[in-house]
């Protein structure tokens, strides 16, 4: 964890906290590298399958038993010998003696000999002597008439199948049979370490008999917004008040990133209230994210409340952490940022600016990679593609800052179009965007049709 007195990442050897004549402005890459260097993946735990959903597997999983574990029917029909139905047609059907039923589940199936067939259900094991299954729709269902569309319910004929069945089509060896091991074989690798467990992966684990699995747990992220002007959605607004949207957007973004996120909501502009609120939340936090109060205003309480944390004389519970440092970044939006660790477990904390777009962009650029790193994923970044800028006007960007503009990406056309203006309060435009257009620090204008980097948000 970088803190005051450590060397900056610009290669100059200047120390933060040392009087160098000017405040160090961090690049996006410097700040992100510093943040990620301080984050370690969460320790693995063993969880029941459904509790492991969304978690990252930390072990290769080997198949203990082949799937399917036995040859079984993929259709409701009749298990037959290939030679007995060769050349069968509706005009000249193969007439076979039905020797019994084969249902899915345990039981002793009948043996199918020459000239015989066994009525079989989907998923039931192929009985001895049988080589293929003919669907019931290819037969008269044992009724002595034309083709049928299905079988009689077992409740209507509990004694099972008997008599004769007429088969109207031939079947090749293995037809409508799911062979043992045709899905996976015993000893195969079912899943590799690093896999995020979704519904299909959990289905496979259950199918091979795994009741538990060792994973890195989903990070617990606590989100707080600050500001005495903030009101809970659904309540009445008074003069000078606005609805708290940041805590909702960041909580939702944390969940989309894979975290278990807790929204605390708005905390008034009071440093001691904020400190005590954060302290109360540490018991359920692997990461704390605040929004607002990190600029240079007189009421920017996050800076006031957390700047002193980590001082040797600080005896409060939060002071056991490594401290929080507030920085200026060469980016737009998102210039003011805070980063550090707090509490006895050195829980990471990222303090984001309060403007809605600044807050969301900061989450995507810095917080989302932290969540993914805590999960233990090797690639923590969103997908970035190149696209042609689809706009009628030249885009301008401040020199020396990396600008992130909201955009709509058209993958088929290979284009991206800006959405809304560059103002950091324009949340309506953010709701229409599915990408961020990245303008590098050294670029001050981008012409229509130029290629740009596009971070995909979907």
């Amino acid at each position: 964890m970088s803190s005051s007195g450590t060397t900056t990442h610009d290669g100059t050897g200047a120390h933060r906290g040392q009087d160098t004549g000017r405040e160090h402005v961090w690049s996006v890459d410097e700040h992100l590298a510093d943040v990620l260097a301080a984050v370690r993946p969460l320790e693995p735990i063993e969880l029941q399958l459904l509790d492991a959903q969304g978690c990252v597997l930390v072990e290769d999983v080997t198949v203990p038993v082949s799937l399917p574990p036995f040859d079984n029917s993929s259709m409701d029909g009749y298990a037959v010998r290939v030679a007995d139905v060769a050349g069968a047609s509706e005009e000249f059907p193969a007439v076979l003696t039905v020797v019994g039923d084969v249902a899915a589940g345990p039981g002793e199936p009948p043996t199918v000999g020459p000239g015989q067939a066994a009525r079989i259900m989907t998923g039931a094991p192929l009985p001895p002597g049988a080589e293929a299954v003919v669907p019931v729709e290819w037969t008269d269902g044992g009724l002595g008439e034309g083709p049928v569309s299905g079988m009689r319910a077992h409740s209507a004929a509990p004694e099972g199948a008997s008599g004769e069945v007429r088969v109207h089509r031939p079947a090749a060896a293995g037809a409508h049979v799911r062979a043992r091991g045709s899905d996976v074989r015993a000893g195969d690798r079912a899943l590799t370490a690093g896999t995020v467990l979704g519904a299909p992966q959990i289905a496979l684990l259950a199918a091979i008999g795994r009741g538990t699995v060792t994973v890195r747990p989903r990070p617990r992220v606590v989100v707080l917004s600050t500001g005495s002007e903030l009101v809970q959605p659904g309540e009445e607004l008074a003069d000078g008040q606005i609805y708290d949207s940041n805590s909702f957007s960041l909580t939702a973004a944390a969940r989309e990133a894979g975290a278990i996120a807790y929204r605390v909501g708005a905390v008034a502009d009071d440093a001691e209230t904020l400190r005590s609120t954060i302290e109360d939340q540490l018991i359920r936090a692997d990461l704390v994210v605040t929004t607002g109060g990190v600029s240079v205003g007189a009421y920017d309480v996050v800076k006031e409340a957390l700047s002193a944390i980590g001082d040797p004389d600080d005896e409060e519970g939060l002071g056991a952490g490594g401290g929080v440092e507030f920085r200026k970044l060469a980016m737009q939006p998102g210039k003011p940022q805070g980063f550090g660790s707090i509490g006895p477990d050195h829980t990471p904390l990222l303090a984001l600016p309060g403007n809605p777009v600044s807050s969301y962009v900061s989450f995507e650029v810095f917080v989302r990679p932290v969540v993914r790193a805590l999960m233990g994923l090797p690639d923590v970044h969103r997908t970035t593609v190149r696209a042609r800028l689809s706009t009628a006007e030249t885009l301008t960007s401040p020199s020396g800052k990396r600008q992130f503009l909201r955009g709509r990406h058209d993958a088929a056309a290979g284009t991206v179009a800006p959405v809304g203006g560059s103002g950091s309060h324009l949340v309506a435009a953010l709701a229409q965007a599915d990408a961020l257009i990245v303008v590098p620090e050294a670029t001050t204008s981008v012409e229509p049709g130029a290629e740009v980097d596009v971070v995909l948000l979907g």
Side-chain angles (χ1 to χ4, degrees):
M1 177 70 63
S2 297
S3 58
S4 295
T6 61
T7 304
T8 64
H9 289 245
D10 59 3
T12 63
H15 291 270
R16 300 194 295 276
Q18 177 180 334
D19 185 9
T20 61
R22 62 182 178 86
E23 184 178 6
H24 175 64
V25 177
W26 291 68
S27 72
V28 172
D29 294 337
E30 284 177 332
H31 183 64
L32 179 58
D34 199 48
V35 169
L36 290 178
V39 176
R40 298 289 179 268
L42 300 177
E43 289 298 314
I45 58 175
E46 187 174 9
L47 292 176
Q48 298 289 326
L49 290 190
L50 291 180
D51 295 331
Q53 183 176 4
C55 297
V56 176
L57 194 63
V58 298
E59 59 179 351
D60 289 346
V61 175
T62 301
V63 178
V65 59
S66 294
L67 289 181
F70 48 82
D71 293 349
N72 69 89
S73 178
S74 65
M75 304 287 287
D76 294 326
Y78 290 85
V80 299
R81 293 160 54 95
V82 171
D84 291 336
V85 295
S89 67
E90 286 195 40
E91 185 178 2
F92 300 105
V95 181
L96 305 177
T97 300
V98 180
V99 294
D101 276 353
V102 187
E108 189 67 30
T111 297
V112 177
Q116 296 179 336
R119 193 169 68 163
I120 193 168
M121 316 304 155
T122 301
L126 193 69
E131 301 167 315
V133 171
V134 291
V136 67
E137 294 88 351
W138 295 6
T139 76
D140 68 350
L143 301 178
E145 299 174 358
V148 296
S149 59
M151 294 179 179
R152 285 187 298 166
H154 176 65
S155 59
E159 72 280 2
S162 60
E164 293 181 336
V165 64
R166 286 168 172 77
V167 179
H168 303 137
R169 298 189 200 178
H176 305 111
V177 174
R178 297 183 288 220
R180 179 179 182 272
S182 57
D183 192 351
V184 290
R185 295 185 177 275
D188 287 350
R189 182 183 299 169
L191 297 171
T192 58
T195 300
V196 179
L197 298 181
Q201 292 76 32
I202 289 174
L204 175 56
L205 290 167
I208 63 176
R210 287 292 294 264
T212 63
V213 67
T214 304
V215 296
R216 295 193 192 278
R218 295 167 62 197
R220 300 165 301 163
V221 178
V222 171
V223 177
L224 303 92
S225 55
T226 63
S228 298
E229 77 281 10
L230 300 177
V231 175
Q232 172 87 5
E235 298 179 0
E236 291 294 326
L237 287 178
D239 290 342
Q241 292 183 324
I242 60 174
Y243 288 119
D244 172 23
S245 64
N246 283 0
S247 65
F248 285 90
S249 68
L250 298 186
T251 302
R255 290 175 179 174
E256 287 181 357
I260 299 170
Y262 304 104
R263 175 188 166 271
V264 176
V267 179
D269 288 323
D270 178 78
E272 289 307 313
T273 300
L274 177 60
R275 285 169 67 95
S276 63
T277 301
I278 292 176
E279 186 175 19
D280 289 343
Q281 294 297 321
L282 289 179
I283 192 172
R284 63 173 182 173
D286 298 307
L287 171 67
V288 176
V289 178
T290 68
T291 172
V294 297
S295 192
V296 293
Y299 291 88
D300 287 329
V301 297
V302 174
K303 208 168 183 180
E304 178 187 353
L306 302 183
S307 289
I309 290 178
D311 288 350
D313 297 331
D314 189 350
E315 296 179 356
E316 295 188 31
L318 294 178
V324 178
E325 180 182 354
F326 292 86
R327 304 168 173 175
K328 292 181 179 179
L329 269 61
M331 68 182 288
Q332 186 183 59
K335 177 181 177 180
Q337 300 284 335
F339 165 60
S341 67
I342 55 177
D345 295 325
H346 294 262
T347 303
L349 181 144
L350 278 85
L352 311 183
N355 279 317
V357 178
S358 300
S359 174
Y360 180 76
V361 169
S362 298
F363 182 96
E364 284 294 331
V365 177
F366 303 119
V367 182
R368 191 177 194 277
V370 170
V371 171
R372 309 293 278 180
L374 289 170
M375 293 175 68
L377 289 167
D379 185 2
V380 300
H381 301 289
R382 289 276 200 188
T383 299
T384 299
V385 299
R386 296 284 285 177
R388 288 180 292 103
L389 188 63
S390 175
T391 180
E393 300 179 354
T394 299
L395 297 183
T396 60
S397 185
S399 177
K401 291 185 178 181
R402 186 178 303 181
Q403 185 169 217
F404 296 88
L405 299 170
R406 287 140 291 175
R408 290 285 298 177
H409 179 244
D410 186 333
T415 60
V416 64
V419 177
S422 60
S424 57
H425 64 292
L426 301 175
V427 70
L430 182 62
Q432 305 303 316
D434 61 8
L436 294 176
I437 302 169
V438 184
V439 183
E441 290 85 344
T443 301
T444 57
S445 64
V446 185
E447 300 296 327
E451 280 204 343
V452 291
D453 282 336
V454 177
V455 179
L456 304 181
L457 300 179

